[in-house]
Amino acid sequence: KLGMTVKKDDNFGEWYSEVVVHSEMIEYYDISGCYILRPQAMSIWETLQAFFDPEIKKMGIKNAYFPLFVTENVLQKEKDHIEGFAPEVAWVTKSGKSDLEVPIAIRPTSETVMYPYFAKWIRGHRDLPLKLNQWCNVVRWEFSNPTPFIRSREFLWQEGHTAFATKEEADQEVLEILELYRRVYEEYLAVPVIKGRKSELEKFAGGLYTTSVEAFIPHTGRGIQGATSHCLGQNFAKMFQINFEDDKGEKGMVWQNSWAYSSRTIGVMVMVHGDDKGLVLPPKVASVQVMVIPVPYKDADTTAIKAACESTVKELNTAAVRADLDTRENYSPGWKYSHWEMKGIPLRIEIGPRDLEKSQVRLVRRDTGAKVDVPMTELVEKVQKILLSIQENLFNTAKEKRDACIEKVHTWDEFTTALNNKKLIFAPWCDEKEVEEDAKARTKGDHGAAKTLCSPLDQPEITEGTVCFASGKPAKKWTYWGRSY
Ligand SMILES: O=C1CCCN[C@@H]1CCCn1cnc2cc(F)c(F)cc2c1=O
Ligand SMILES: [Mg+2]
């Protein structure tokens, strides 16, 4: 494989596409907007799932699996839930040569698939809370620029759908799930995110309120929704007649939530940490954390070197460090260094004749390129420490870069200047829908309009007399604004 040919600063879109392909995470497919997830990508997906699935089970959520297909009349059940989404719905209209009597939609999300059965299963308050999740794929036939992991016509996600007797229980779960999403990004993918609430314009129209974790890509100056946790209120309970007899014998409608993260998480990680050598994997999601490479010298004892590599891998694997070796003779050490750097392996170990003599190995970090010689007797402890340090350094570096992009503004002019400087804008806002619509209209351009990303749950104080940057009305919230994916 050739090396990287595009630089991250020169052409971000082409750089990204090259990274995901050359790191062997993605293979492009012959249907636009569809991508093959190769093992490196799938192993990251599985690692995140291995964290998230037990966590939601601890919360009493059970996995189920609902059909991929939904009938037209059920899908159209509620216009404002589907409003504007209709063009994205993919339909099955034939089987073999014959047309289907009634076209069948492929799920773009599963509210309308699940909720008729929620109505059937929920009768009394003892049937509550009902808390289900499914790990599945969904299809949204989008036309705006398809991007591996970030925007694809089919993607993997988990979708949680829960029903409670009281709003308080629903409100609490929304935030518990949002905290898990923060951990997925910050503790595993080493990507800093902001927890916040979506505006009335940006929220899920079918719900009561939407919370999200928002990431930011400094290179493009665009925000990206990382994951989302909605409180649906009783909107869907009304639509689907999901009610129950409470302990006083009265009929009440349930309070519902729905929440999801998707394979988009992987793309955000690539965009944030990748560099001009290719992918950079945070150790916690790296299927191989350490690659051991023999450095044979012309008359050196290659057998002894290879044996040292094998015992190093063995020792690391015994200590639960995911290590592998590359002893292929038809590739030079130099070729292997750039190959495994391209693949984002966090740590490389080089073992040559000099290292053998001194009973040491050379460790090379993928994040900083730093090299350090370590006695073989201290191998495991040093490798474990360095892997932790790489995980932390990736997060801290990403957080510093993201924070450096944040610009606090107070006026419209400051806002447009910051927007054109690719900033993540923090502004006092009157929280009025028309003002957001107006700001969107005024910032339309070939880079896309500015929009609200979220109002952070952690709200700074609004000092007396602070006015909205756009309308001049009294400010109600500090809100992040920017262009987005
Ligand atoms: O975002 C979530 C969390 C998991 C469950 N769903 C909610 C809301 C999804 C919002 N949404 C998002 N996209 C959609 C695309 C469609 F084609 C369509 F018919 C419906 C939708 C749609 O409802
Ligand atoms: Mg969409």
Side-chain angles (χ1 to χ4, degrees):
K1 269 155 261 8
L2 288 173
M4 293 286 292
T5 64
V6 184
K7 296 221 175 307
K8 195 175 184 181
D9 293 334
D10 293 350
N11 185 324
F12 187 81
E14 279 189 32
W15 166 84
Y16 176 75
S17 172
E18 208 170 50
V19 168
V20 297
V21 169
H22 280 55
S23 64
E24 298 177 348
M25 291 237 271
I26 286 277
E27 185 69 62
Y28 277 73
Y29 189 59
D30 66 350
I31 297 173
S32 167
C34 297
Y35 307 96
I36 296 163
L37 302 187
R38 300 179 68 182
Q40 177 55 68
M42 208 55 208
S43 80
I44 296 172
W45 182 246
E46 290 173 342
T47 302
L48 299 180
Q49 186 174 40
F51 159 71
F52 189 80
D53 200 56
E55 286 299 327
I56 57 174
K57 281 172 176 153
K58 282 183 215 163
M59 293 169 62
I61 288 133
K62 293 189 173 67
N63 284 327
Y65 187 80
F66 285 75
L68 172 72
F69 305 107
V70 55
T71 61
E72 183 164 15
N73 65 321
V74 168
L75 187 78
Q76 310 296 350
K77 183 92 182 168
E78 172 53 29
K79 54 200 171 314
D80 82 356
H81 163 224
I82 301 290
E83 104 192 60
F85 289 127
E88 293 178 21
V89 178
W91 295 89
V92 178
T93 57
K94 291 163 69 88
S95 81
K97 289 203 178 336
S98 51
D99 291 345
L100 294 190
E101 284 291 299
V102 180
I104 291 172
I106 298 175
R107 67 180 169 225
T109 181
S110 300
E111 282 80 2
T112 57
V113 174
M114 293 180 168
Y115 296 169
Y117 300 92
F118 277 34
K120 184 176 180 196
W121 299 331
I122 297 170
R123 291 276 167 248
H125 62 92
R126 266 182 289 280
D127 304 319
L128 293 174
L130 175 61
K131 305 196 272 194
L132 301 181
N133 177 69
Q134 66 176 8
W135 292 93
C136 68
N137 63 332
V138 285
V139 172
R140 296 175 186 177
W141 216 255
E142 306 211 32
F143 290 88
S144 50
N145 53 329
T147 309
F149 298 121
I150 301 295
R151 191 179 296 104
S152 53
R153 285 174 159 168
E154 175 190 12
F155 56 87
L156 304 181
W157 74 349
Q158 53 67 218
E159 49 177 321
H161 293 267
T162 54
F164 300 92
T166 65
K167 182 177 186 298
E168 290 66 33
E169 290 169 285
D171 289 339
Q172 182 193 332
E173 187 201 66
V174 166
L175 296 181
E176 275 180 63
I177 293 293
L178 197 67
E179 168 60 7
L180 290 180
Y181 291 154
R182 182 197 66 76
R183 293 182 61 194
V184 163
Y185 275 96
E186 299 199 338
E187 294 177 12
Y188 284 82
L189 299 169
V191 171
V193 291
I194 298 164
K195 282 181 177 177
R197 186 175 280 211
K198 286 286 186 186
S199 70
E200 278 308 293
L201 190 64
E202 288 302 318
K203 79 173 189 183
F204 170 33
L208 180 60
Y209 64 83
T210 291
T211 68
S212 63
V213 286
E214 299 291 332
F216 186 75
I217 312 297
H219 266 79
T220 55
R222 301 179 93 93
I224 183 162
Q225 181 177 293
T228 181
S229 181
H230 312 281
C231 176
L232 307 178
Q234 297 178 305
N235 299 358
F236 284 89
K238 200 155 62 217
M239 266 188 244
F240 289 92
Q241 302 298 306
I242 313 174
N243 37 48
F244 67 103
E245 200 156 292
D246 64 20
D247 46 5
K248 293 183 285 301
E250 277 145 43
K251 275 253 178 242
M253 285 192 289
V254 299
W255 292 87
Q256 290 175 269
N257 294 336
S258 74
W259 27 270
Y261 79 90
S262 74
S263 39
R264 161 178 285 197
T265 47
I266 302 170
V268 174
M269 180 273 292
V270 173
M271 289 184 163
V272 167
H273 299 309
D275 62 17
D276 289 339
K277 290 180 177 172
L279 183 61
V280 178
L281 287 172
K284 283 182 79 169
V285 297
S287 51
V288 174
Q289 296 168 317
V290 183
M291 183 57 72
V292 180
I293 296 171
V295 189
Y297 210 58
K298 43 184 182 297
D299 56 355
D301 176 354
T302 45
T303 320
I305 290 174
K306 190 168 173 190
C309 291
E310 279 153 0
S311 62
T312 298
V313 168
K314 207 164 156 25
E315 196 182 351
L316 288 170
N317 286 341
T318 310
V321 173
R322 299 187 289 274
D324 201 349
L325 72 169
D326 181 351
T327 54
R328 292 174 292 177
E329 262 131 42
N330 50 335
Y331 293 100
S332 69
W335 184 93
K336 293 178 186 179
Y337 298 165
S338 51
H339 175 70
W340 297 111
E341 282 166 356
M342 170 85 75
K343 300 257 301 164
I345 308 295
L347 192 58
R348 170 172 86 228
I349 292 183
E350 299 168 10
I351 302 183
R354 201 173 35 76
D355 303 305
L356 274 199
E357 272 156 40
K358 298 182 180 175
S359 291
Q360 68 182 32
V361 297
R362 167 157 291 192
L363 307 187
V364 184
R365 292 174 61 135
R366 175 67 180 88
D367 59 339
T368 62
K371 300 180 192 308
V372 61
D373 292 333
V374 164
M376 284 184 180
T377 51
E378 299 167 22
L379 174 81
V380 169
E381 156 219 348
K382 280 288 189 318
V383 163
Q384 287 171 329
K385 242 167 68 182
I386 289 185
L387 288 174
L388 265 181
S389 156
I390 292 171
Q391 185 78 26
E392 283 163 17
N393 176 49
L394 286 174
F395 178 76
N396 294 337
T397 305
K399 192 167 182 311
E400 280 155 30
K401 281 186 187 153
R402 192 274 315 269
D403 291 347
C405 293
I406 295 176
E407 186 123 345
K408 201 182 266 195
V409 305
H410 286 86
T411 67
W412 180 258
D413 286 351
E414 287 171 0
F415 177 81
T416 51
T417 304
L419 193 64
N420 296 331
N421 291 340
K422 297 188 175 183
K423 296 295 183 184
L424 173 54
I425 302 163
F426 199 36
W429 178 41
C430 60
D431 195 16
E432 290 187 14
K433 201 170 184 177
E434 307 70 45
V435 173
E436 178 170 4
E437 282 163 344
D438 181 52
K440 274 182 121 168
R442 291 165 70 184
T443 54
K444 262 195 178 3
D446 48 8
H447 293 290
K451 61 202 283 195
T452 59
L453 302 168
C454 75
S455 296
L457 301 186
D458 175 12
Q459 275 285 313
E461 185 217 345
I462 304 250
T463 51
E464 193 49 43
T466 303
V467 296
C468 171
F469 77 98
S471 69
K473 296 177 181 176
K476 295 258 182 48
K477 283 177 180 167
W478 279 95
T479 303
Y480 283 102
W481 292 70
R483 292 199 172 91
S484 79
Y485 282 86

